[in-house]
Amino acid sequence: YFLEDYNILVINNPTGIEVTGSNSLTTKCEKYVQGFVKPCHRLDRNTSRTCSYGKKWESPSNFTWEV
């Protein structure tokens, strides 16, 4: 991961891995934090990028406003 604090997790997602789905980056992040994560955005799986996740239900909306 790139950055993690109490509210967010920012991680590199290489090309070919979906953000959501049964075998996705979201699933892997939930296992890592042993709890809830919600993507702040979704991008195509054919794109290498960083993905931001909220670790609380309200975190993605707060993150969007702060950016």
Side-chain angles (χ1 to χ4, degrees), residues 4 16 22 35-36 46 50 64 66:
E4 180 180 13
S22 60
F36 171 84
N46 296 325
T50 58
T64 303
E66 289 177 16

Side-chain angles (χ1 to χ4, degrees), residues 10-65:
V10 180
I11 192 164
N12 181 44
N13 188 12
T15 303
I17 298 178
E18 296 179 359
V19 174
T20 59
S22 60
N23 189 23
S24 64
L25 186 62
T26 300
T27 305
K28 294 172 196 276
C29 288
E30 286 175 337
K31 288 179 184 176
Y32 169 75
V33 300
Q34 298 177 355
F36 171 84
V37 296
K38 181 177 180 185
C40 296
H41 55 81
R42 289 185 54 195
L43 297 171
D44 186 23
R45 76 172 163 180
N46 296 325
T47 307
S48 175
R49 71 276 187 194
T50 58
C51 289
S52 304
Y53 286 92
K55 293 169 68 177
K56 296 181 176 182
W57 182 254
E58 66 277 1
S59 297
S61 3
N62 293 341
F63 183 78
T64 303
W65 282 103

